[in-house]
Amino acid sequence: ISNLCMRLTVLLYLQVLLDFSIGFHVESRLSERQKREWIKFAAACREGEDNSRRNPIAKIRSDCEENQPVIYSISGIGIDQPPYGIFVVNSRTGEINITSIVDREVTPEFIRCFAKHALTGRDLEQPLDLRVRVLDINDNPPIFSQTVFVGSIEESSMETTLVMKIIAMDADEPNHLNSKIAYKIESQEPAGASMFILNKHTGEVHIANYLDREVKASIC
Ligand SMILES: *[C@@H]1O[C@H](CO)[C@@H](O)[C@H](O)[C@H]1NC(C)=O
Ligand SMILES: [Ca+2]
Ligand SMILES: [Ca+2]
Ligand SMILES: [Ca+2]
């Protein structure tokens, strides 16, 4: 039956092409035919919030609906793999609901969608990976990649020598303010005049020289 659907498309397409040569008015029909595929829509959801009032947050539809009985289904993590049932689909309408509060850091970005023939179970469309955007909230602190960073310097080292580079990661959305890291020295032992400069952006630690000490005062 899907072959028939395909053949029908091809025939109509040819017909439209033929029509196209004799009249300008068929142009809109041509663009309609090109849309013969998945029609989808997905709204953004917000992390850590009840999104149920936004339901349905997405809708999928196959144009094969026009002449065949279609059943929609979805698959993936948060659906038929743990955590189960975060996203559900109405198999008849293709409407997709979100059923619980989601954590952006563990929710997959894509929902795999299927349109199958209601009687034969055959795929009527190529599976679709529907992107569901979960808007990030800043709910992850930066974590140092090591609990202790060790640096060493020669006693005769020049001032401003690089001592070490400290690294931290933040699980919130990459390249977003929520995951932007700023480094700062909290304290020093022995206390007193700052011996090190920490680059706020790169995490590079240098020995402080006299000039740097003044700069440092404004950084920390
Ligand atoms: C999805 O949510 C809408 C609106 O709350 C509701 O009417 C509908 O029954 C829900 N569908 C499913 C499959 O849960
Ligand atoms: Ca989170
Ligand atoms: Ca963060
Ligand atoms: Ca987050």
Side-chain angles (χ1 to χ4, degrees):
I1 292 168
S2 70
N3 281 345
L4 187 64
C5 176
M6 288 265 290
R7 199 152 55 228
L8 205 61
T9 309
V10 171
L11 282 174
L12 284 169
Y13 188 67
L14 280 174
Q15 193 200 334
V16 168
L17 283 178
L18 290 173
D19 283 350
F20 191 65
S21 61
I22 49 170
F24 178 75
H25 66 282
V26 290
E27 197 174 5
S28 66
R29 280 181 62 198
L30 178 59
S31 56
E32 264 171 44
R33 285 260 60 84
Q34 284 172 335
K35 271 193 259 158
R36 191 171 190 94
E37 53 176 23
W38 282 108
I39 299 168
K40 57 195 193 287
F41 134 85
C45 300
R46 201 171 289 273
E47 176 179 22
E49 229 179 68
D50 178 8
N51 291 287
S52 59
R53 71 198 147 80
R54 296 192 175 94
N55 279 336
I57 54 117
K59 184 168 161 65
I60 48 172
R61 187 176 172 277
S62 160
D63 258 7
C64 287
E65 244 186 35
E66 281 164 22
N67 47 19
Q68 294 171 85
V70 179
I71 287 262
Y72 298 101
S73 58
I74 55 176
S75 171
I77 296 165
I79 301 161
D80 54 358
Q81 290 160 43
Y84 298 102
I86 290 177
F87 297 103
V88 293
V89 68
N90 180 317
S91 61
R92 200 174 33 79
T93 64
E95 286 180 343
I96 297 174
N97 284 6
I98 189 165
T99 65
S100 61
I101 291 171
V102 285
D103 183 356
R104 191 206 69 88
E105 283 68 52
V106 299
T107 305
E109 250 181 292
F110 294 98
I111 294 177
R112 179 147 277 216
C113 304
F114 302 89
K116 293 179 192 289
H117 191 281
L119 303 176
T120 67
R122 217 145 50 93
D123 277 314
L124 294 175
E125 299 278 2
Q126 291 284 349
L128 167 79
D129 284 327
L130 182 72
R131 180 154 191 253
V132 178
R133 189 157 147 66
V134 178
L135 301 176
D136 189 36
I137 56 169
N138 191 1
D139 59 347
N140 291 276
I143 306 285
F144 285 113
S145 63
Q146 293 162 232
T147 46
V148 178
F149 292 85
V150 179
S152 60
I153 42 166
E154 300 279 324
E155 207 173 336
S156 59
S157 289
M158 273 175 25
E159 292 182 333
T160 75
T161 299
L162 178 66
V163 180
M164 62 176 152
K165 184 172 160 67
I166 57 173
I167 297 169
M169 313 284 251
D170 186 306
D172 288 312
E173 187 170 328
N175 306 317
H176 191 279
L177 207 56
N178 291 346
S179 63
K180 195 165 165 57
I181 292 170
Y183 298 94
K184 177 185 165 191
I185 294 176
E186 278 279 311
S187 65
Q188 167 192 303
E189 270 178 62
S194 303
M195 290 185 288
F196 301 102
I197 300 285
L198 171 58
N199 184 308
K200 181 181 178 177
H201 305 291
T202 65
E204 287 173 343
V205 179
H206 293 266
I207 307 171
N209 63 22
Y210 177 73
L211 269 177
D212 284 339
R213 233 168 267 155
E214 292 191 334
V215 175
K216 200 211 132 282
S218 64
I219 290 175
C220 297

